[in-house]
Amino acid sequence: MIDMKDVWKTYPNGMKAINGIDISIGKGEFVYVVGPSGAGKSTFIKMMYREEKPTKGKIHINGTDLTTLKEKQIPYLRRQIGVVFQDFKLLHQLTVFENVAFALEVIEESPAVIKKRVMAVLDIVKLKNKARFLPGELSGGEQQRVAIARAIVNNPAVLIADEPTGNLDPDTSWEIMDTLEEINNRGTTVLMATHNKEIVNTIRRRVIAIEDGRVVRDEVRGNYGYEI
């Protein structure tokens, strides 16, 4: 599913963000990515959807070699990968339905398919009754669930969640985790970068810890391992 072989990333200013990572993540896994700020987690995540390109090494997702991918092929890669951000990145002038539908409109799906798929994923994230609301009329947790619906509407093989609970209160964070677990139970591989110690230590899954651009710990049912 996801394979990194001897991956390095040095930025033009000379900063070394990733230093020789080797990692494999199988289909259907749920993986936390943890580590201190500045450890390289964001670069690690961004390389998986080709926001960043490694300086050296190979990255394969679903058999696709990301390191040799041409720029025009990147949008097709991103149809296989859903991405959820800490700050939601919703279009505030569009309704909930329109925000999710946008991901299908850009690949020119038919209106009938769009309506069916959008309502199906809104049902998964429990927002079917708010399809006509604007983002500004929703709570933070509801906005994050809209972002998750948009990320999965293309039925991606992989869902990458970059600090998805970072701006949310504890109760809402658990609701988001319930949603991510349900998506994972449906067969989607979930990779979640997080600083939320309580979530990692309560919902035990595989933990990959990164420090100074290196994987320093990889545990099947790991704990957070850092003091907040």
Side-chain angles (χ1 to χ4, degrees), residues 4-8 54-59 65 67:
M4 288 189 171
K5 301 294 183 188
D6 193 29
V7 172
W8 299 72
T55 308
K56 175 188 171 187
K58 290 286 184 181
I59 302 174
D65 185 347
T67 51

Side-chain angles (χ1 to χ4, degrees), residues 56-85:
K56 175 188 171 187
K58 290 286 184 181
I59 302 174
H60 287 86
I61 294 185
N62 253 5
T64 300
D65 185 347
L66 272 59
T67 51
T68 60
L69 210 60
K70 294 181 173 62
E71 290 295 319
K72 64 182 180 182
Q73 295 173 309
I74 293 175
Y76 297 95
L77 164 77
R78 290 177 181 166
R79 292 179 195 177
Q80 303 177 51
I81 303 170
V83 185
V84 179
F85 301 95

Side-chain angles (χ1 to χ4, degrees), residues 45-46 49 51 82-89 144 147-148 150-151 160-167:
I45 291 287
K46 287 177 179 178
Y49 57 94
E51 182 74 18
V83 185
V84 179
F85 301 95
Q86 181 175 345
D87 57 353
F88 320 139
K89 297 192 184 299
Q144 188 61 291
I148 291 170
R150 182 182 58 192
I160 294 173
D162 192 358
E163 297 284 357
T165 63
N167 286 337

